[in-house]
C-alpha cells in the first residue's frame, strides 16, 4: 500500500507558543510549482504545487528533511504541521541543533494522525526538552 502524505501551506505557521499561537514563523507556502522550498525526501518522493507539498512512500521509513535553519528553541514550544493522509499513523519530528547537527533519538517527539483524508493540524510539542530549550535549531526531519 502506498501511503500518501500532503502538507499544506499552513506548515508556514511552524513554530508555536504553548497555547498553539505561532510566535516564531518560518513560512513554507509551496506556492510555486516544483519549488519544495528546500525540503528534500528520503525513502519517498515529494513535489510542490498549489500550496501543497505532496509525497508518496517509495520505501520503508519515509522522511522529509530540511537543513539551513537557525532559530532558537526558546522562541517556540513546538512545531505545527497541517497535513492529511489516507491511513492512520504517527509522525516523528527529529531536529539537529548547534553542537549536535545530526538527527538522534534524544531529539525526537511524535504526534498521531488519522487517515480520514481530511486536513488536520499536528502539534509536535518540544517544550521542556533540554535538546530544544535554549538551543539553536539547524535542521528538521519529519518521518
Amino acid at each position: 500500500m502506498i501511503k500518501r502524505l500532503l502538507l499544506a501551506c499552513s506548515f508556514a505557521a511552524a513554530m508555536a507558543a504553548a497555547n498553539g499561537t505561532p510566535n516564531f514563523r518560518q513560512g513554507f507556502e509551496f506556492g510555486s510549482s516544483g519549488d519544495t522550498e528546500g525540503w528534500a525526501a528520503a525513502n519517498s518522493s515529494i513535489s510542490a504545487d498549489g500550496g501543497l507539498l505532496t509525497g508518496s512512500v517509495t520505501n520503508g521509513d519515509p522522511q522529509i528533511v530540511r537543513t539551513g535553519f537557525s532559530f532558537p528553541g526558546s522562541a517556540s514550544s513546538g512545531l505545527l504541521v497541517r497535513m492529511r493522509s489516507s491511513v492512520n499513523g504517527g509522525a516523528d519530528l527529529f531536529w539537529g541543533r548547534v553542537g549536535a547537527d545530526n538527527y538522534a533519538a534524544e531529539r525526537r517527539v511524535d504526534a498521531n494522525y488519522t487517515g480520514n483524508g481530511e486536513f488536520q493540524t499536528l502539534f509536535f510539542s518540544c517544550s521542556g526538552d533540554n535538546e530544544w530549550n535554549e538551543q539553536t535549531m539547524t535542521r528538521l526531519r519529519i518521518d
Side-chain angles (χ1 to χ4, degrees), residues 123-136:
F123 179 61
F124 293 94
S125 178
C126 300
S127 65
D129 190 313
N130 290 334
E131 291 289 326
W132 182 272
N133 295 338
E134 308 305 322
Q135 304 292 335
T136 300

Side-chain angles (χ1 to χ4, degrees), residues 11 14-15 26 28 38-40 63-69 71 78-79 81 92-97 101-103 107 126 132 137-143:
F11 188 50
M15 311 308 162
Q26 171 67 53
F28 300 100
W39 289 91
Q63 305 166 3
I64 57 171
V65 297
R66 189 170 190 282
T67 60
F69 288 106
F71 67 87
L79 181 81
V81 175
D92 295 310
L93 169 69
F94 290 85
W95 64 90
R97 61 171 176 77
D101 191 30
N102 61 333
Y103 303 115
R107 288 183 299 283
C126 300
W132 182 272
M137 301 320 121
T138 57
R139 59 180 60 223
L140 298 174
R141 181 179 103 193
I142 300 173
D143 290 18

